[in-house]
Amino acid sequence: MFLTFLTFLPLVGAIVLAFLPKENESQIKQTAVGFAAADFLLSLQLWFDFDNTTHAMQFEYSTSWISSWGVSYHVGIDGISLLLFVMTTFLTLISIIASWDVKKSIREYMMAMLALSTGMLGVFISLDMFLFYVFWEFQLVPMYIIIGVWGGPRRIYAAIKFFIYTAVGSLLMLVAIIWIYFLVKEQTGVATTDLLYITEHLNAPLDVQKWLFVAFFLAFAIKVPMFPFHTWLPDAHVEAPTAGSVILAGVLLKMGTYGFFRFNLPMFPHASNEFLPFIAILAIIGIIYGALVSLVQEDLKKLVAYSSVSHLGFVMLGIFAFNHYGMQGALLQNINHGISTGALFLLVGMIYDRRHTRQISEFGGLAKVMPKYAICFMIVALSSIGLPGMNGFVGEFLILLGIFQINGMWAALATSGVIFAACYILWMFQRVMFQELKNPKNFKLPDMNLREMITIVPLIILIFWIGLYPKPFMKTFDASVTHLITKVDPDNFRPKKIETHHAALIQQDDLAKLNKKLQGKKQ
Amino acid sequence: MEPIAAPESIDLIALAPVLVLTVFAIGVLVLDLFAGKSKILLAFVSLVGLLMTAISAFAKLNLPAHSFNDSYIVDHLSIFFILIFTISSALSILISIDFNNREGIKAGEYYALILFCTVGMILLASSTDLIMVFLGIEIVSICLYVLAGIRRNDIKSNEASLKYFLLGAFATGFLLYGMALMYGATGTTNMLKIAALIKSGSVNSEPLMVMGVVFLVIGFGFKVASVPFHMWAPDVYEGAPSPVTAFMAVGPKAAAFAAFFRIFAEALPDVSSAWETLLYVIAVLTMFIGNLGAIMQTNIKRLLAYSSVSHVGYILIAIMVKNSLGSASLLFYMLAYTFMIFGAFGIVIILGKKGNENLEIEGYSGLGFKHPMLALSMTIFLLSLGGLPPFAGFVAKFYIFSAAISEGYIYLVVIAVLNSAISFYYYLKVVVFMYMKDPVGEFKISASPITLFVVAVAVIGTLELGIFPDPIISLAHP
């Protein structure tokens, strides 16, 4: 029940906010922060209590929901979802603090943020496909409203695009879910949408597996977003308010990669192996394309948005390496991207608040007027590039190590993405922070205030913590990754040529011996 | 041709809902003479009548029960449909009270007409004989022709009524022709006998049969407003008074679907090759044209009309499934649809004022922050119509889709799913206006407590069916 409590606590907060008077803004903000902070602190308890020696689901709770269809309310958490869960509560808190200055309808804004949090947390704990789908779709609405109401000038276009893109993908997933439901019912006689049961018992022929894989793949690839399904992302990111972008990059995109871990790989291991090259190549294209497009952006936020396409390409590549290094790297990079890109969006938001522009050309020499800001930006930018000692390095290194074991060429191509990342980030940093302080509007910009520091500093601490001592993080998903790898191990699906060859050899040996014996007897 | 036998026994308990409701309907007509100017008493009596009808529907213990020489049946399907009809009629009476006051509709026969229409709907859902189906359809249609034009001095209302009448009469012709051909092919109008004859292979003439089936599809196509027979729907929906529009979009349509289902899935499943492809094509076209039509609308009533055309497409899938899963999903969908449509129309009525019904979607600008509860309710109804969890529309669609997939209609479901994605576009358009545009002009909310009550009921129904659908599912699929 603890998981359920943690998941719905923000929603309760949203309902409480609805009854607060609209005028009392500080009370509204304090209540929102209170609920988010409570949720975050309590979710840390999950991490402490988590047993990382097993891949089994923990904190499980299951009760019948729509019993006529075999749908249950089944929740639980394992190494793959634990950190994502905690990161969601964490980033929700950070984003709510970062939204302190929202002017328009602050109460409704906070309500949307908290409701969004419940939707996202629900996605990570659902162990029933129906339940998963409900949460998956549910979080669309608050995000749509956040972009559409509090976003930039083209917000309505961006919000609708975001919604329709995701809806198209996830509706096909719905068809696949129903199909799987009947497949399992046919094979085992049990009508259920329980994810663990289905993962265990689904035994579809390869061609069916492929269709199902594609349906799920579309839903998740749009969310990730993989090239070429990424076009909604820059629009959504650029138009979303700062906190919306943080949540989008930090959590929503992770729901896509999480989907691959939870659905595609364990349920369709054979199809996953078949699609491996295809997805790996898409991921590599994403890495290089995202980086190259970032290189030419004039708008800071767009630059960070496209860099997400590149970074998420790494995560996808790591997942589809199907080995320990790759998958661990992918899971860690999931978290890293949430932290680094979340921080980048926060920082971009800060200067946008001051100057109401994000054009790189408008800035220059900011390091002189905003030294604290420049230092924070520097650290976050370097972490995004993947400098050793910081979080990004560990993740990318593991991923590249993993992919190298499969295909050296892919690893080499992916590595070029790291180099491009250094180019666009450092070049951007140089244009914004250094050079001459020319624009008079920038002469008297205030440096970061205390509230802004509160949002950034925890992220910076995490950047160094993961960079220097990633063990506590890696440990949590170790058992789960090991288990998953045995499922998708290509050896399970390889035609057993070698063994038959052996058998033939043995037979021949036996025949020879037999012949010898017979000959001996004759003599 | 078999001789027509005199009815041996008439099971009055089985007929109870029809009898009770007819008595009440006549009672309301008589009461109108004494009611004076205020017609609220009539509405109240009608509601009591509907309540009694719903209760009496559960009176029959041994299901299924047949009556009138097997031309009338009480089974769980008809009982569930009676439930849907009484709920939709009750809700439409409730949203009418305030509307009629505001718009100056003083016709006492208004409520009686709704009750008579409901009687026709019950007959439609309970008949296992083609003649009975025809009677039901005619009772329903005649009441609707009058109701659509009840605002006598409003030119749009007149147009709606006339258009509906002319096209409806046309459709009736097709239906009757189809039934006659069916009779010619089999020598009986009883659905159970038709099914048995087809199964035994003793149909007189295959071509007559097929022609009959096609004409029946056309006739019902008109009645439920499926493409390409949907042309009347947007105009009639727009012109009719809003409560009548909501009523038309739900009750009579559900009744037509009930008969549709009985004829095709229960009487003609063995000639499904004759109608399956036809329905497939019609369903696909209905979904696409309904949705694409809705995208272009700027008038909320027309938008809802086109969206209801697209919903007909989804419901047709349930008919094609032909088994108990199909009927159960049809029942669930219609009930969910009832709440969503009445909720949405309740809001449309609340936002209208005399002479200016505020029907342009633009008029909804800024509602989200001026009247958060109204806007939130409207958002719930629209998202539910689009099929988003955790609302009723999602579970209803899930039900129909799973019924279809269990029968192997995977491509059809994929088409339906893509249509759902299209439909999000125009449902969201209304949400965009409510939350993301600045208000134009002031909102004058003329909400009576009764209309607000209807909206509240609809919200609760939409959430209940979306979050805890279990009891209704087990009622629909015993």
Side-chain angles (χ1 to χ4, degrees):
Chain A
M1 284 308 270
F2 188 48
L3 273 183
T4 307
F5 170 75
L6 285 177
T7 303
F8 286 97
L9 186 64
L11 191 64
V12 173
I15 294 168
V16 169
L17 283 183
F19 292 99
L20 292 180
K22 210 171 184 169
E23 298 74 34
N24 198 342
E25 288 192 1
S26 60
Q27 190 191 14
I28 287 167
K29 288 175 196 164
Q30 281 157 9
T31 316
V33 168
F35 272 97
D39 207 38
F40 167 59
L41 293 175
L42 289 171
S43 70
L44 286 179
Q45 187 65 36
L46 279 183
W47 198 7
F48 293 134
D49 291 348
F50 187 78
D51 174 12
N52 52 30
T53 56
T54 167
H55 68 266
M57 288 294 162
Q58 299 175 37
F59 311 102
E60 254 185 288
Y61 177 77
S62 176
T63 179
S64 171
W65 179 20
I66 308 176
S67 51
S68 4
W69 294 346
V71 173
S72 59
Y73 177 83
H74 185 186
V75 296
I77 220 161
D78 69 351
I80 290 166
S81 45
L82 173 73
L83 286 179
L84 288 168
F85 189 90
V86 178
M87 190 171 76
T88 306
T89 58
F90 174 63
L91 284 179
T92 305
L93 176 62
I94 297 272
S95 325
I96 283 181
I97 299 175
S99 317
W100 216 251
D101 292 334
V102 169
K103 295 280 184 305
K104 188 175 154 192
S105 315
I106 183 84
R107 182 179 64 167
E108 283 77 7
Y109 178 86
M110 291 299 179
M111 283 167 68
M113 274 307 230
L114 289 171
L116 177 63
S117 177
T118 290
M120 297 182 303
L121 294 173
V123 166
F124 293 129
I125 62 167
S126 301
L127 294 181
D128 183 282
M129 293 202 296
F130 190 91
L131 185 67
F132 175 84
Y133 188 81
V134 168
F135 279 121
W136 178 270
E137 292 281 272
F138 176 72
Q139 50 77 29
L140 274 184
V141 182
M143 194 67 217
Y144 164 76
I145 294 200
I146 287 173
I147 298 176
V149 177
W150 291 277
R154 284 169 70 243
R155 59 186 195 272
I156 293 172
Y157 167 78
I160 290 184
K161 193 169 175 184
F162 162 76
F163 196 104
I164 302 276
Y165 260 70
T166 321
V168 170
S170 47
L171 282 166
L172 288 176
M173 175 169 79
L174 182 67
V175 179
I177 288 177
I178 301 174
W179 194 355
I180 292 174
Y181 172 80
F182 283 110
L183 272 179
V184 171
K185 194 174 168 185
E186 209 171 278
Q187 283 168 354
T188 66
V190 183
T192 179
T193 49
D194 190 282
L195 183 59
L196 299 184
Y197 184 88
I198 284 175
T199 314
E200 193 93 346
H201 291 90
L202 179 72
N203 188 11
L206 181 59
D207 53 330
V208 177
Q209 260 195 39
K210 275 184 177 170
W211 281 113
L212 294 171
F213 183 95
V214 168
F216 277 93
F217 169 79
L218 272 179
F220 299 140
I222 289 173
K223 203 86 193 172
V224 165
M226 288 188 76
F227 179 86
F229 309 105
H230 66 282
T231 54
W232 63 271
L233 177 101
D235 288 305
H237 266 316
V238 170
E239 299 304 324
T242 300
S245 303
V246 173
I247 294 282
L248 255 177
V251 185
L252 286 191
L253 308 188
K254 306 308 174 306
M255 288 170 25
T257 51
Y258 171 76
F260 282 99
F261 275 110
R262 183 67 78 222
F263 290 85
N264 284 49
L265 304 193
M267 284 203 302
F268 325 115
H270 198 173
S272 303
N273 271 286
E274 295 281 316
F275 281 113
L276 188 153
F278 170 72
I279 291 176
I281 286 164
L282 277 189
I284 291 169
I285 294 176
I287 291 173
I288 296 173
Y289 167 85
L292 287 178
V293 178
S294 296
L295 206 53
V296 295
Q297 292 308 315
E298 304 283 314
D299 179 306
L300 275 173
K301 218 171 178 185
K302 247 189 179 153
L303 184 144
V304 182
Y306 274 108
S307 83
S308 289
V309 176
S310 176
H311 283 128
L312 267 299
F314 272 108
V315 178
M316 288 308 297
L317 200 58
I319 297 175
F320 279 80
F322 291 159
N323 54 35
H324 228 90
Y325 291 127
M327 284 198 178
Q328 287 220 325
L331 278 168
L332 192 68
Q333 196 62 5
N334 248 346
I335 309 291
N336 289 337
H337 178 259
I339 295 167
S340 305
T341 308
L344 276 177
F345 276 123
L346 284 175
L347 289 161
V348 172
M350 286 172 201
I351 49 170
Y352 182 73
D353 284 345
R354 287 165 172 72
R355 285 285 325 276
H356 295 283
T357 176
R358 288 181 299 251
Q359 291 297 312
I360 296 175
S361 53
E362 285 280 318
F363 299 101
L366 285 191
K368 284 170 201 144
V369 280
M370 304 170 70
K372 276 192 272 181
Y373 178 81
I375 293 170
C376 292
F377 206 141
M378 185 73 180
I379 296 170
V380 175
L382 290 177
S383 112
S384 184
I385 299 171
L387 196 76
M390 291 183 185
N391 59 351
F393 174 73
V394 188
E396 277 173 7
F397 184 73
L398 283 171
I399 289 170
L400 290 173
L401 214 57
I403 203 68
F404 190 79
Q405 292 185 343
I406 298 193
N407 189 322
M409 191 62 201
W410 292 351
L413 287 170
T415 314
S416 70
V418 184
I419 300 166
F420 288 129
C423 296
Y424 65 80
I425 290 267
L426 290 179
W427 190 36
M428 176 271 287
F429 193 78
Q430 189 234 347
R431 282 183 291 168
V432 173
M433 293 296 170
F434 302 140
Q435 294 180 330
E436 243 175 281
L437 191 58
K438 269 191 257 168
N439 194 331
K441 285 181 195 152
N442 294 336
F443 286 168
K444 279 190 182 152
L445 288 181
D447 205 352
M448 277 161 85
N449 59 29
L450 181 65
R451 187 180 54 76
E452 288 167 340
M453 294 292 276
I454 290 175
T455 59
I456 281 292
V457 168
L459 294 168
I460 290 181
I461 294 173
L462 277 172
I463 285 174
F464 283 114
W465 182 10
I466 299 180
L468 297 171
Y469 188 62
K471 204 176 154 198
F473 296 88
M474 311 282 283
K475 250 186 3 200
T476 48
F477 40 70
D478 196 44
S480 299
V481 165
T482 313
H483 178 69
L484 189 55
I485 287 171
T486 57
K487 286 215 133 185
V488 290
D489 186 2
D491 285 344
N492 295 345
F493 313 104
R494 259 184 212 135
K496 311 260 189 265
K497 267 183 202 156
I498 305 162
E499 284 163 37
T500 48
H501 183 58
H502 269 295
L505 277 181
I506 291 164
Q507 267 184 348
Q508 277 179 356
D509 278 2
D510 286 351
L511 273 179
K513 276 180 195 164
L514 200 68
N515 278 337
K516 265 186 187 170
K517 269 189 189 170
L518 288 174
Q519 279 166 4
K521 271 185 184 171
K522 269 182 190 169
Q523 286 167 356
Chain B
M1 184 170 164
E2 65 182 281
I4 296 170
E8 298 129 25
S9 66
I10 296 166
D11 187 345
L12 287 181
I13 296 180
L15 282 177
V18 183
L19 294 179
V20 170
L21 199 54
T22 314
V23 169
F24 266 92
I26 295 170
V28 168
L29 267 188
V30 175
L31 206 61
D32 182 31
L33 299 174
F34 310 103
K37 272 209 159 180
S38 166
K39 306 293 182 194
I40 291 190
L41 178 69
L42 298 183
F44 179 72
V45 174
S46 311
L47 288 174
V48 174
L50 288 168
L51 184 68
M52 302 284 280
T53 311
I55 293 171
S56 64
F58 288 98
K60 193 68 195 169
L61 289 176
N62 306 323
L63 295 180
H66 297 273
S67 211
F68 287 118
N69 271 345
D70 287 348
S71 60
Y72 184 93
I73 187 173
V74 185
D75 57 1
H76 84 273
L77 192 77
S78 61
I79 290 180
F80 199 109
F81 265 115
I82 290 174
L83 218 59
I84 294 175
F85 300 151
T86 46
I87 290 174
S88 69
S89 304
L91 290 177
S92 61
I93 286 173
L94 282 169
I95 52 172
S96 301
I97 296 173
D98 182 46
F99 183 85
N100 287 357
N101 271 341
R102 194 177 78 203
E103 302 289 325
I105 299 173
K106 291 282 181 225
E109 63 272 22
Y110 183 93
Y111 301 108
L113 278 169
I114 289 185
L115 294 193
F116 278 123
C117 192
T118 314
V119 172
M121 285 158 18
I122 297 177
L123 283 183
L124 255 180
S126 316
S127 49
T128 46
D129 192 288
L130 294 178
I131 300 294
M132 197 80 147
V133 169
F134 184 71
L135 282 181
I137 281 230
E138 279 307 273
I139 296 175
V140 170
S141 303
I142 291 169
C143 295
L144 286 181
Y145 301 148
V146 183
L147 280 171
I150 199 132
R151 250 187 329 194
R152 267 166 258 161
N153 35 21
D154 182 294
I155 197 149
K156 276 206 160 174
S157 192
N158 286 334
E159 184 199 332
S161 181
L162 190 63
K163 211 170 222 174
Y164 194 29
F165 174 67
L166 288 177
L167 287 170
F170 199 48
T172 308
F174 272 108
L175 261 184
L176 203 54
Y177 199 6
M179 288 172 181
L181 289 171
M182 196 71 77
Y183 180 75
T186 59
T188 174
T189 52
N190 185 296
M191 294 183 202
L192 304 174
K193 283 180 190 150
I194 292 176
L197 284 171
I198 293 172
K199 210 171 204 114
S200 66
S202 46
V203 173
N204 295 337
S205 154
E206 285 290 335
L208 276 193
M209 185 86 212
V210 173
M211 283 291 278
V213 169
V214 171
F215 278 124
L216 282 179
V217 169
I218 294 174
F220 276 112
F222 267 110
K223 293 294 174 192
V224 300
S226 70
V227 173
F229 318 111
H230 68 291
M231 302 296 188
W232 58 271
D235 296 334
V236 175
Y237 280 24
E238 189 191 356
S242 296
V244 175
T245 310
F247 180 64
M248 281 167 61
V250 178
K253 195 175 269 185
F257 269 118
F260 207 151
F261 184 82
R262 277 204 199 278
I263 295 179
F264 285 84
E266 291 188 352
L268 304 169
D270 292 312
V271 284
S272 60
S273 54
W275 53 270
E276 213 167 31
T277 324
L278 191 59
L279 275 198
Y280 199 114
V281 174
I282 289 181
V284 171
L285 286 178
T286 307
M287 288 188 272
F288 271 113
I289 292 179
N291 277 323
L292 295 178
I295 285 181
M296 297 173 218
Q297 301 309 318
T298 57
N299 176 303
I300 187 88
K301 267 167 97 180
R302 287 184 77 88
L303 184 140
L304 287 171
Y306 271 104
S307 102
S308 94
V309 170
S310 78
H311 281 273
V312 168
Y314 304 127
I315 301 170
L316 283 175
I317 299 176
I319 289 176
M320 292 167 64
V321 175
K322 301 191 288 272
N323 57 24
S324 62
L325 212 53
S327 69
S329 60
L330 171 68
L331 290 172
F332 192 92
Y333 202 99
M334 287 318 306
L335 187 62
Y337 193 63
T338 306
F339 288 120
M340 302 184 287
I341 282 292
F342 274 102
F345 272 98
I347 305 260
V348 169
I349 290 170
I350 287 174
L351 289 178
K353 44 185 179 271
K354 187 174 166 51
N356 172 18
E357 285 199 69
N358 207 5
L359 293 175
E360 290 304 306
I361 301 173
E362 238 182 354
Y364 287 64
S365 302
L367 187 71
F369 296 99
K370 292 270 176 188
H371 297 281
M373 289 313 279
L374 281 184
L376 184 67
S377 310
M378 189 64 165
T379 309
I380 289 178
F381 301 134
L382 292 169
L383 294 179
S384 180
L385 282 167
L388 206 77
F391 307 118
F394 166 67
V395 180
K397 271 190 186 159
F398 185 87
Y399 210 166
I400 284 195
F401 292 166
S402 24
I405 289 181
S406 76
E407 286 287 298
Y409 288 112
I410 289 180
Y411 293 115
L412 189 58
V413 173
V414 170
I415 293 170
V417 148
L418 291 178
N419 268 284
S420 291
I422 300 176
S423 76
F424 280 129
Y425 181 79
Y426 57 85
Y427 291 127
L428 288 179
K429 194 164 85 175
V430 184
V431 180
V432 162
F433 274 99
M434 288 194 299
Y435 284 96
M436 301 166 195
K437 299 262 165 116
D438 292 325
V440 283
E442 281 289 297
F443 288 106
K444 283 229 176 69
I445 303 294
S446 56
S448 75
I450 308 175
T451 318
L452 288 178
F453 171 74
V454 172
V455 172
V457 167
V459 168
I460 293 168
T462 309
L463 289 175
E464 155 70 26
L465 287 182
I467 302 174
F468 303 108
D470 220 17
I472 301 297
I473 291 173
S474 30
L475 197 63
H477 198 198

